[in-house]
Amino acid sequence: HGDGPQDRTAGGGYLPLLNALLDAGIAVYSWDKPGIGESEGNWLGQSMHARADEAQAALDALIAARPDAADRSGFLGFSQAGWVLPDLAARPGTPTRFAVSIGAALDWQRQGDYYTRRRLAAEGMPERRISDELASLAAREDDAFARYARGEITRAEAARVFDVSPARFDFIRRNRFANASSDLEHARIPYLAMWGEEDLNVDAAWNAAACERLLEESGTPHRVILVQDATHSLLHSALFNHQLAGDWPWYARVAFLGLGRAAYAPGTLETLTTWIRAAASGPDAFKAAASGAE
């Protein structure tokens, strides 16, 4: 999953993708994040490494139930999963065939700056003021972290600086130095990384270039794809390009329900399912798929 309190279908948002995978003969095992739906725990209490452990446990449970799936299974994740999947891909002996990330960022703090920059621009702030605002915001936040660590302010007081709940503050504090670069550089399994060129949450061009360089250094088979006219979630940018689904106007919500899998940018789901089927089928089939043009 990406960020937020997601259940196994992201409130139904995953359904067009899940149905496309199923129609392509790809089984799907998804689960509610900790503390959501039928899952126990609290997802805000997790580090990215703990989320990788959780995903590994889910795979282990799947393989225990279906031993025949052991050499055909892989991970697929959105956005914040970009710090989870590289961890799994770099683990020695990870019993999985492949990993697929969509809309991932490598560096937590760089991604946060980009997200805020785009949000401020959308709110109408002049470009000349945005850099100053970002610097001021970073200084206030660093000061809050330092004062909280020294015991000078309470957790609730520190959280108010970020305009978040105390639990969300802890989540940010726990993960703010997350960076997937080293894990990608040591990836051991085939890796597909996709971004929408019109992504408002993540700097797609920068992250795609960095990911390509790191995966090339790893030596693992991979594809890095920038999808034209696509959003953070690879949907049609003309209709759905907002930073949060909660920002969608009413007509975008209606369009998503009516379009189903056609809400995705053209060719996206076909590329995804073809790559997964090839990666799950073994090295020869995968090499043929991996040689396709980006």
Side-chain angles (χ1 to χ4, degrees), residues 118-253:
R118 296 302 298 261
R119 177 177 58 78
L120 293 175
E123 292 173 356
M125 182 176 288
E127 184 62 32
R128 64 182 180 277
R129 285 187 52 204
I130 290 178
S131 294
D132 291 341
E133 178 63 23
L134 287 174
S136 175
L137 180 62
R140 294 196 303 271
E141 291 177 348
D142 286 346
D143 179 66
F145 282 127
R147 293 176 64 202
Y148 174 72
R150 293 193 298 264
E152 296 174 0
I153 58 175
T154 66
R155 188 169 67 123
E157 289 171 328
R160 282 197 288 273
V161 175
F162 293 79
D163 193 26
V164 297
S165 69
R168 180 72 185 189
F169 168 74
D170 280 343
F171 181 74
I172 296 169
R173 184 170 58 89
R174 188 177 294 112
N175 292 293
R176 66 191 182 109
F177 296 117
N179 191 304
S181 298
S182 179
D183 285 334
L184 283 174
E185 191 176 12
H186 295 91
R188 299 165 180 266
I189 56 176
Y191 209 100
L192 172 64
M194 303 178 73
W195 286 267
E197 282 191 335
E198 306 301 320
D199 196 323
L200 297 177
N201 295 32
V202 169
D203 187 341
W206 186 90
N207 281 282
C211 186
E212 174 65 44
R213 174 178 55 80
L214 292 165
L215 288 172
E216 189 67 29
E217 291 175 4
S218 77
T220 193
H222 63 276
R223 281 191 75 185
V224 174
I225 303 174
L226 281 169
V227 182
Q228 291 184 343
D229 302 319
T231 71
H232 183 55
S233 299
L234 304 183
L235 302 176
H236 277 287
S237 58
L239 276 172
F240 304 107
N241 212 13
H242 299 269
Q243 286 188 315
L244 300 172
D247 297 334
W248 286 6
W250 68 268
Y251 58 81
R253 298 175 185 273

Side-chain angles (χ1 to χ4, degrees), residues 256-281:
F256 184 78
L257 292 173
L259 290 171
R261 67 190 73 180
Y264 284 84
T268 298
L269 296 179
E270 292 81 359
T271 297
L272 183 65
T273 55
T274 298
W275 190 93
I276 290 174
R277 286 178 60 86
S281 297

Side-chain angles (χ1 to χ4, degrees), residues 1 17 29 35 86 88 93 96 125 140 193 208 223 247 255:
H1 294 291
L17 170 63
Y29 177 37
L88 293 162
T96 185
M125 182 176 288
R140 294 196 303 271
R223 281 191 75 185
D247 297 334

Side-chain angles (χ1 to χ4, degrees), residues 35-56:
I36 307 302
E38 297 181 46
S39 288
E40 298 176 351
N42 180 3
W43 66 273
L44 284 171
Q46 293 182 308
S47 66
M48 294 299 104
H49 185 70
R51 285 188 57 182
D53 287 343
E54 176 193 298
Q56 182 66 60

